[in-house]
Amino acid sequence: MNAVTSTKDTTIYRQLIALMMRAKRHMFIACESGQLTPVQGMLLVVLEESDSKTMNELSNMMGCDASNITGLIDRLEANGYIERTADAADRRVKKIKLSKKGCDCRCSLLNTLAEAESVDMSRLSKEEIETLKKIFSKLST
């Protein structure tokens, strides 16, 4: 495979990276009001309000090392955004869930991101948006 073929083969990923960078800028803006880092904001967004996750599950979801998640969780817990509890089935395992403050912040983040998404998606038809949702659903499983 030559360099030209290799570059053409990554066109979709290059476009996805450009889109992710725009989404990251929106995340920076959304996190400013809560004085969060974008990574802290992303963790709050991936946690469902009614669910709890183990540290390993969060590490996998965030695509980072478990030691990074520990520091991230420590800071979020110290600021009242999450709660850490022992798993009922195995007390050695810690479960992480959103606190009331974390739920409120998550809601605010999602609202801010939805506004940005609305502007970006305004260039697409309803059918294109539905197709995009189906494609992302297939790719994210």
Side-chain angles (χ1 to χ4, degrees), residues 42-86:
M42 284 186 262
L43 191 137
L44 294 180
V45 167
V46 300
L47 273 171
E48 296 291 329
E49 288 187 33
S50 60
D51 197 14
S52 61
K53 299 284 184 204
T54 66
M55 301 285 268
N56 283 338
E57 289 171 326
L58 288 173
S59 174
N60 290 333
M61 290 171 72
M62 297 291 291
C64 66
D65 189 73
S67 63
N68 292 342
I69 285 293
T70 300
L72 187 59
I73 293 300
D74 288 345
R75 288 185 297 279
L76 287 169
E77 183 179 34
N79 290 315
Y81 290 104
I82 58 108
E83 298 170 354
R84 190 183 334 215
T85 58

Side-chain angles (χ1 to χ4, degrees), residues 2 4-5 9-10 12 22 25 28 39 45 48 52-53 70 77-78 83 87 90 94 98 107 111 118 121 126 129 139:
N2 64 37
V4 173
T5 304
D9 289 344
T10 61
I12 291 172
R22 184 167 46 240
R25 285 191 300 274
F28 269 100
V39 175
V45 167
E48 296 291 329
S52 61
K53 299 284 184 204
T70 300
E77 183 179 34
E83 298 170 354
D87 184 13
D90 184 349
K94 299 300 178 201
L98 293 170
C107 184
N111 285 336
S118 176
M121 295 299 122
K126 288 180 182 181
I129 291 170
L139 291 175

